[in-house]
């Protein structure tokens, strides 16, 4: 990846993995829509044998992803959750895994309904450094799983301090960096061992692909993850990899636009009399504003807020918006709105949701890159109906 080392990320997203096609000079990469490859004699090939193992379009995407997280290796998988699955499976069964208590609903479900049978899973509040240290020394985990900022409470954990603590006790650290994208946060540079993204979100950015990726520097661990993927099967199709390569080219301009709109909207909501509280890392009122400024290069496009009101009023508000689409997921160019308690976090038990603060009046926005005044007008007219 050294070729791209000195480029800014806004250039890397366009050029890394983007060399013209050797055969034709085509500026845009071909989609190698093939399952298999001809060999000149048994075992003699050009590095590609079967698309579950390798595919040239996917290889290009991996080259770009490694470059933008400044990693030696990147592995593209069929979904964010399959990336997560491979990381868990790369840890010896029976090990203890410490997981942040406010992770993405699907990650929570993966640990609490599948992997709790083969691993000792401990959920803790990873924003509490003393608790993290006590849990690591008491339970000797092999892996600590961070998401920062979290979904939907936008809690921020100190990646640098936790990764260095983990290293001291020979525990690997992984950061789910989906919310910030490589444009606003680079966990490997803060000391984490592995970075995970759901490419479905900001990396692809157009809500038309499911995909995941892992970036890391440890060659042995990368080989283990690749072997697991090749043996278990969750690879991404060449066409989807091509779409992500295409979407990724505008990551820098998209992230700037998401953030610009989100900051304006967060301020608008914070000053609105029908809103109880707003959570956005770019607002001084965010409980970890200082830490956010230190470890992130921006505050992203996700906003969580509490309406003054009950479930009925939240539903009224959610069904009154016109530009925002009521839908799960996030990170696309279009603005989305959702109700975590009923939608994305329904798999988190009600008692746990209550403990975390995911109440019935909590609403999550994925702010798109439309005209900001249009978005604010839309929210304003929907708030009037509450
Ligand atoms: C969506 C998401 C995932 C899961 O990714 P999929 O591509 O849906 O499998 C994991 N972590 C976070 C933070 C997410 O938002």
């Amino acid at each position: 990846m050294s070729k791209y080392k000195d480029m800014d990320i806004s250039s890397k997203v366009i050029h890394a993995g983007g060399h013209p096609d050797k055969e034709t000079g085509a500026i845009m990469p071909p989609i190698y829509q093939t399952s298999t490859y001809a060999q000149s004699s048994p075992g003699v090939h050009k590095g590609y044998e079967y698309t579950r193992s390798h595919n040239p379009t996917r290889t290009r995407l991996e080259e770009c992803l490694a470059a933008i997280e400044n990693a030696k290796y990147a592995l593209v998988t069929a979904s964010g959750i399959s990336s997560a699955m491979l990381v868990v499976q790369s840890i010896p069964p029976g090990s203890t895994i410490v997981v942040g208590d406010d992770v993405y609903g699907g990650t929570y479900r993966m640990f609490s309904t599948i992997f709790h049978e083969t691993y000792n899973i401990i959920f803790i509040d990873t924003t509490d450094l003393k608790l993290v240290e006590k849990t690591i020394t008491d339970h000797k985990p092999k892996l600590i799983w961070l998401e920062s900022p979290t979904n939907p409470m936008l809690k921020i954990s100190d990646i640098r301090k936790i990764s260095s603590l983990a290293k001291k006790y020979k525990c690997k650290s992984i950061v789910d960096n989906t919310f910030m994208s490589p444009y606003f946060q680079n966990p490997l540079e803060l000391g984490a061992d592995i970075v995970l993204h759901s490419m479905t979100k900001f990396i692809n950015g157009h809500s038309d692909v499911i995909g995941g990726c892992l970036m890391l520097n440890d060659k042995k661990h990368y080989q283990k993850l690749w072997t697991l993927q090749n043996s278990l099967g969750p690879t991404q199709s060449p066409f989807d990899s091509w779409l992500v390569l295409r979407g990724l080219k505008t990551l820098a301009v998209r992230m700037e636009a998401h953030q610009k709109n989100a900051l304006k909207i967060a301020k608008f909501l914070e000053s609105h009399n029908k809103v109880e509280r707003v959570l956005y890392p770019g607002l001084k009122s965010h409980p970890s504003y200082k830490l956010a400024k230190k470890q992130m290069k921006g505050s992203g496009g996700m906003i969580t807020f509490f309406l003054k009101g009950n479930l009925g009023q939240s539903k009224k508000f959610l069904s009154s918006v016109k530009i925002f689409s009521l839908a799960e997921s996030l990170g696309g160019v279009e603005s989305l709105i959702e109700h975590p308690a009923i939608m994305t976090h329904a798999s988190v038990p009600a008692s746990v949701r209550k403990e975390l603060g995911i109440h019935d009046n909590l609403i999550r926005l994925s702010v798109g890159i439309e005209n900001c005044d249009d978005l604010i007008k839309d929210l304003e007219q929907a708030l009037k109906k509450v």
Side-chain angles (χ1 to χ4, degrees), residues 1-300:
M1 295 314 119
S2 54
K3 203 163 96 194
Y4 309 107
K5 218 179 73 203
D6 297 327
M7 281 188 192
D8 182 73
I9 184 167
S10 55
S11 308
K12 283 179 185 172
V13 287
I14 294 169
H15 292 288
H19 50 276
D21 176 41
K22 276 202 191 95
E23 205 148 296
T24 62
I27 286 289
M28 285 302 135
I31 308 167
Y32 286 90
Q33 195 70 30
T34 184
S35 58
T36 190
Y37 308 82
Q39 307 196 359
S40 53
S41 71
V44 180
H45 54 75
K46 297 178 171 150
Y48 294 95
E49 297 162 89
Y50 190 60
T51 281
R52 175 162 23 80
S53 319
H54 295 106
N55 176 279
T57 312
R58 211 161 64 225
T59 304
R60 280 176 178 263
L61 176 57
E62 289 171 341
E63 212 177 311
C64 187
L65 292 166
I68 62 177
E69 280 284 14
N70 298 311
K72 288 199 179 115
Y73 307 99
L75 186 71
V76 163
T77 76
S79 62
I81 213 70
S82 64
S83 279
M85 170 189 82
L86 294 176
V87 172
V88 176
Q89 287 174 322
S90 72
I91 303 298
S95 305
T96 294
I97 302 178
V98 172
V99 184
D101 61 2
D102 182 36
V103 289
Y104 169 71
T107 307
Y108 181 88
R109 179 176 54 207
M110 175 188 81
F111 282 117
S112 61
T113 68
I114 308 291
F115 286 128
H116 76 111
E117 286 176 8
T118 34
Y119 297 86
N120 176 32
I121 311 294
I122 306 175
F123 289 99
I124 62 163
D125 177 0
T126 51
T127 62
D128 181 345
L129 284 173
K130 283 213 177 83
L131 178 62
V132 171
E133 175 147 35
K134 186 171 170 5
T135 311
I136 292 181
T137 50
D138 285 359
H139 296 277
K140 314 262 176 317
K142 288 276 194 301
L143 181 68
I144 180 156
W145 195 286
L146 302 177
E147 198 177 297
S148 186
T150 58
N151 178 3
M153 299 306 287
L154 299 168
K155 292 204 298 193
I156 295 174
S157 296
D158 193 324
I159 297 171
R160 193 185 288 280
K161 288 204 175 129
I162 296 175
S163 329
S164 108
L165 203 62
K167 257 191 197 83
K168 201 165 113 193
Y169 294 97
K170 300 205 160 36
C171 167
K172 297 239 180 209
S173 53
I174 175 167
V175 177
D176 182 334
N177 198 22
T178 301
F179 267 34
M180 281 297 105
S181 91
Y183 188 73
F184 283 137
Q185 180 168 267
N186 302 110
L188 296 180
E189 289 174 3
L190 297 168
D193 293 305
I194 307 175
V195 175
L196 178 151
H197 288 275
S198 166
M199 301 197 298
T200 311
K201 318 294 167 57
F202 290 104
I203 285 191
N204 179 55
H206 293 75
S207 305
D208 49 13
V209 166
I210 298 285
C213 64
L214 299 166
M215 290 85 139
L216 68 168
N217 288 315
D218 179 339
K219 185 171 184 181
K220 262 202 178 138
H221 202 161
Y222 162 75
Q223 285 168 335
K224 192 168 186 178
L225 291 164
W226 180 84
T227 303
L228 279 164
Q229 181 183 43
N230 193 39
S231 311
L232 298 169
T235 50
Q236 192 176 46
S237 77
F239 181 55
D240 281 357
S241 290
W242 184 85
L243 278 172
V244 179
L245 260 173
R246 187 182 203 265
L248 196 48
K249 287 184 194 293
T250 54
L251 182 75
V253 285
R254 280 189 286 111
M255 292 316 291
E256 289 290 350
H258 283 296
Q259 162 163 279
K260 201 169 153 213
N261 280 355
L263 185 60
K264 257 196 188 163
I265 290 175
K267 285 181 176 162
F268 159 77
L269 290 170
E270 198 165 48
S271 66
H272 200 285
N273 63 7
K274 286 189 180 161
V275 174
E276 188 181 288
R277 188 172 167 223
V278 181
L279 291 168
Y280 180 67
L283 290 179
K284 289 210 175 76
S285 57
H286 189 284
S288 303
Y289 178 73
K290 275 197 187 130
L291 176 59
K293 278 264 177 274
K294 212 166 78 184
Q295 74 180 9
M296 289 144 57
K297 296 165 188 165
S299 39

